[in-house]
Amino acid sequence: MTASQARNAGLPIINLLRLKGMPILQQLHLEERLLRTSSENWCIINDGTTRPTIVMGVSGKAKELLETDAVLRDEIPVIRRFTGGGTVIVDQGTIFITFICNKDAISGLQSYPRPIMSWSSLIYKNIFQGIGEFSLRENDYVIGNHKFGGNAQSITKNRWVHHTSFLWDYEVSNMGYLKMPTRVPEYRQARNHVEFICRLKEYMSRSVFIDGTMDAVAAYFALRSPDVDDMQNPSSQFEPSSRILTRQELGEEASMELVGTVSQTSYMAAISSTFPTSKVA
Amino acid sequence: MATSLWATRAASYLRINVPCRGFATVLKDLKYADSHEWVRVEGKSATVGITDHAQDHLGEVVYVELPEEGSKVERGASFGAVESVKATSDVNSPVSGKVVEVNTKLSGSPGLVNVSPYEDGWIIKVELEDDSDLPCLMDPDRYTKFCEEEDASH
């Protein structure tokens, strides 16, 4: 549909950005910049990220949420993101879908957490019709009573972002870096991570999920391919807040300070080398 | 308060009852912003928080991001955030000035914003630049009507 056809149909335009393998830190920086400095609607689909990375919500405390000794030993990057919510570990098996919208983009939708999440569940419900028992349960996307996606939001005066990391596949061993959180939904019922979550790949292929998402979004928006140069505009003064935590923030002991200085430098160098700037797919 | 169209459809799909709150408390001695913050002005000093309407719609607050004391705030601009239901929501200042005190109790007890939004849940105190912002804010009756219209349109 062209922009003029979309306007005639009364649908707001959304820029659809398809990515593959963008490092999650770079994705978060892009999302926050678009939230704060763009006036357009955006749907970002990132099919997998690079190395396994832990991503905590804005108020997450590493010592409470992570097995920090193992995280430090294995040099797993830990990012504190700008949105709320819990902790996930993401990798090549994760599919990321993000909506960044003006508050009046969806007719009748109040820009508060629960209405936004309710709307998003209607998007994903369509994809699972006849395939799996999808629902939004205590703010989680589940199939039956197994969680398969972690979602979070950030809401400003006139815009909001809702992003999800879907577990298309995951490594069981990676879940060992995450502790059981102190705040859990009731339906979790003391299950550990592996018992609690499920893989989306058991229900559909990556392409079916991604194509289904785009079809569902097209019911609410007119999709448009964005101008890549606009997104990478270096003149923006905006400084994103999502960042990698240092080894000291992960609880590395002060007595290791001398060794830590060297290890912190090499740790940050190792992390930075796997967060290069990547091209749009 | 009218239930939003999306909440109704989603609730029907999810087979849950959505509780409708009949009203939100609005205090008579405060001024209000259209982004649902309140301000109590006493001379050159102002106290700022979020309204009962806002805390009700946001859900249980689990974290409050506070500004630094001494920082500047500008009318209509964000100075901090609250986290609830997996979301960070900006808190915007109704007035311009300098932050002279932040409510440090919110670090250990963020839920004060829910249970006492106009008293113990205050967020910042501001030394006002001047009183030129105040005419731009809503009085209690206008804010009550604003909330009713906003809820009815969704």
Side-chain angles (χ1 to χ4, degrees), chain B residues 3 7 20 23 30 36 42 60 68 77 86 93 118 130 146 152:
Chain B
T3 307
C20 292
F23 61 91
L30 306 180
H36 301 287
E42 293 160 309
E60 183 191 354
E68 298 278 335
K86 302 187 176 188
S93 182
Y118 298 115
D130 52 47
F146 174 77

Side-chain angles (χ1 to χ4, degrees), chain A residues 143-159:
Chain A
I143 298 173
N145 69 344
H146 291 94
K147 181 175 175 177
F148 70 99
N151 66 75
Q153 301 171 113
S154 186
I155 303 170
T156 69
K157 197 171 173 183
N158 295 308
R159 289 167 67 72

